[in-house]
Amino acid sequence: MPKPIEIRTSPHLKRAISVDRIMRNVVFALLPICAFAVFQFGLSALLLILTTTGAAIATEWFFARASGQGNTVSDWSVVITGILLALTLPPGFPLWMAAVAAFVGVALGKALFGGLGYNVMNPALVGRAFVQAAFPVAITTWTPAFAPGRFTEVIPSTFTLPFMQPTPVKDWIMGLQLDAWTGATPLALQKFQQIEPPVTEVFTGMIAGSAGETSALLILICGLWLAFKRMLDWRIPVAVMAGAALTALPFWLMDSSVYPSPWFVLFSGGLMLGAWFMASDMVASPVTTSGVILYGLFIGIVTVVIRLFGGLVEGVMYAILLANAAGPLISSWTQPRVYGAIKKTREVE
Amino acid sequence: MGLFSLFQRHRTFDHGIYPVEHKELTADKPIRRLPFAPELVIPLAQHKGAPAVPLVKVGQEVVRGEPIARAEGFVSVPMHAPATGVIRAIALTPTADGPKTQAIFLKVYEAASQEVLYDLERDLDTMTSEEIVAAVQDAGLVGLGGAAFPSHVKLKPPAGKVIETVVVNGCECEPYLTCDHRIMLEQSDALIRGIKLALKATGAKRAIIGVEDNKLDAVAHLRAVLPKDLPITAEAVETKYPQGAEKMLIKSLLRKEVPVGGLPADIGVAVYNVGTLAQMGDLLPRGRGLIERVVTVSGPAVANPGNFMVPIGTPLRFLLEQVGLAADRVGEVILGGPMMGMAVASLDVPVTKAVSGVVALEREDPDLDRRKVYPCIKCAECLKACPVSLNPSMLGELALARQYERMAEEFNLNQCFECGCCAYVCPSNIPLTQYFRIAKSINRDRNA
């Protein structure tokens, strides 16, 4: 009888789940949303997703190699960053700008902090925040959904050369002879013209908007699937939605001709994608159970405050980035009460 | 687990995990005896506390049941000869704990009658609690659940403490192990005698047997045989790891928590494993010493798993030969269960009083790469698993930063009892339990 081969320390059993499997599942959950984006906006959306994902992977590969971490692309986390970033951008967003966003997101939002697990904020949102500041016109130029010919030609702004002005999409849209095109997303319509599109359209996503944010329904289904597989903490999206709806409710009750209904707040813009796939980013959210609820409520409240009173039509991105920054503090405020302790033994530093 | 279990919830503690149980391999295997190994190795330090002191010389003949080492002080127990034979040597032997320890090597006489001839009939009803405590120590009894803490010490409440409740631990929450399950089914008379002794010695008013609900047959059996005139009840608790940790079981059964830094006695509780009390009930009336124990031998690398009455000192090699070890497949041999047990480096290691199971796990698929360690992704699974509500994610980071004192002072490191839940669930495969073990030992050395 040979000697036992292995000597390890307890526990000698492990749950058969690993980081790469969790990340892969998040990617799977995002694929239907990608498919809908391509269905809705055509080739441009496909190219956008491929560009941000490719650029994010290349950036990760370069920095991991440069810092001697080896191949970290295989943990799939950077693929999520690339896809999520694309989903938050307008469908005709110039590809070179999208690549810059992906580079900045991964380099400044992740690699700078030491890679997976060490970033403070969601890298996709860091990238988007950068291009929001750098290219304010391009990132607020929206194209209509379900344009005819979307699978045979790209939106002209897609192939804008670096540091050139994007081709105005207006002429292109006129060329398509679209009557109903207003050039605005539901959020902008509501905010600046007090026209609230039907909630059903907003909910199902039959409207203009960022590439992957339009269908609240689809995002909800994909998010619920991940939550069911326990690869997403359901408390976060639920708290975000509760925070947003409860903040919007009193204003709407006061004056429904100016303020949007809670339903509209929930299903328009990036709130759904933000709640289910951005705020729930494990790395950048607090670890304690009561902490994630505070964190989610904070995101929901700040989003609605920015939407109702800020100069922007959208607030989810900044709300999540702010909450990410507050994450470690929220965690340390909400340390669990240890078994057998009379009261909380941990004080805030 | 059927749909019905959704509606029928048994009492439990917060958090914890649900590893695959693997109990079906041995749960219905009655306790059997195996032949004696040609040589038994009896370490002198088989319990917490001071090692025993040998009473025998090399070449001396001993009879099964005869004392061969005496207790060294109050927190120590004597050893008895597990077989009739001759002392071959008193020398060092490898144990699961690593460094070699002093042991008595007993060559077993093949032809000799292995009947125990050391009897000292006692009348349990007339024994005072002091006499019971002394008799339990004389029997060499330690906690047979794996802790191996001298049993008589727990029977004597610390000065000023009153024991209200004796909790009898029949949870057996480690995967693979079924020896306690079999003991509850097969040795219930001895168990009840043991519980009565514990009640009398501690002065407790009642006893509760806590059994995980994957052993409802044991609960039903105990309820049928428990004397109606005694304050002893059997309760089912949820099947969840680590339900058998005494702090967890106390929480499940009594909704009370042992204070930080305290003992169960501080809240009027004393906890004993069912195996310990069954041995107490068996040995004390006859004045015998502990010379054998029930061991589950199981695991995927074992051909004929089962529950066996194994003489103390039986080398693992001999034990595993009896059950058919698939030598080409074996990866790890673990003493105890796979969650908290220790892997052995050598099969010359003997079964001691603390060994409740011998689990042979298979070699892992080298392509699986399941053990690649990723950075912590703050998924919070460890926080949701930790039964004492620590923050293992934070503790792990502090361990990497070597801030061991901060771990203890700010994040309750010393409350960790190394159950392994955090490392079990960690998708990054971070060896959290090992980090905490090291941090605690560094802190101990620093404070010593």
Side-chain angles (χ1 to χ4, degrees), chain A residues 245-262 308:
Chain A
L246 292 176
T247 313
L249 183 66
F251 294 102
W252 179 67
L253 289 176
M254 267 191 304
D255 190 350
S256 63
S257 66
V258 176
Y259 297 109
S261 73
L308 298 188

Side-chain angles (χ1 to χ4, degrees), chain B residues 125-161:
Chain B
D125 296 332
T126 60
M127 286 175 85
T128 65
S129 61
E130 284 74 28
E131 283 167 344
I132 294 171
V133 172
V136 169
Q137 184 177 20
D138 287 346
L141 208 53
V142 300
L144 300 179
F149 188 75
S151 299
H152 63 277
V153 182
K154 285 215 270 186
L155 286 174
K156 208 177 139 92
K161 302 277 192 291

Side-chain angles (χ1 to χ4, degrees), chain A residues 48-49 52-54 56 77-87 102 106 124:
Chain A
L48 185 64
I49 295 166
T52 53
T53 309
S77 63
V78 76
V79 179
I80 302 176
T81 300
I83 295 176
L84 276 180
L85 175 61
L87 296 181
V106 176

Side-chain angles (χ1 to χ4, degrees), chain B residues 39-112:
Chain B
E39 185 168 85
L40 301 178
V41 183
I42 305 125
L44 294 164
Q46 294 189 34
H47 51 262
K48 300 276 179 332
V53 179
L55 295 168
V56 290
K57 293 191 190 72
V58 174
Q60 183 178 333
E61 290 189 325
V62 292
V63 177
R64 181 161 152 92
E66 173 184 347
I68 54 172
R70 63 173 170 79
E72 178 72 359
F74 185 64
V75 188
S76 182
V77 294
M79 308 284 164
H80 302 78
T84 297
V86 61
I87 306 296
R88 184 181 67 79
I90 299 177
L92 295 174
T93 186
T95 61
D97 296 319
K100 296 191 166 198
T101 52
Q102 200 75 14
I104 297 172
F105 288 73
L106 173 64
K107 202 153 181 49
V108 180
Y109 286 159
E110 255 180 75

Side-chain angles (χ1 to χ4, degrees), chain B residues 16 24 39 111 146 170 178 212 215 259 267 318 344 349 351 359 397 399 407 412:
Chain B
E24 70 290 344
E39 185 168 85
T178 57
E212 278 192 313
K215 296 177 267 287
I267 51 169
F318 179 85
V344 294
V349 166
V351 169
V359 179
E397 275 178 28
M407 290 167 74
N412 298 296

Side-chain angles (χ1 to χ4, degrees), chain A residues 326-337:
Chain A
L329 192 62
I330 296 175
S331 280
S332 79
W333 281 343
T334 53
Q335 286 298 317
R337 189 195 69 94

Side-chain angles (χ1 to χ4, degrees), chain A residues 90-93 136-143 157 166-170 173 181 183 209:
Chain A
F93 198 63
V137 176
I139 208 159
T140 48
T141 302
W142 312 96
T143 51
S157 54
T167 322
V169 289
K170 212 167 191 169
I173 294 163
W181 171 245

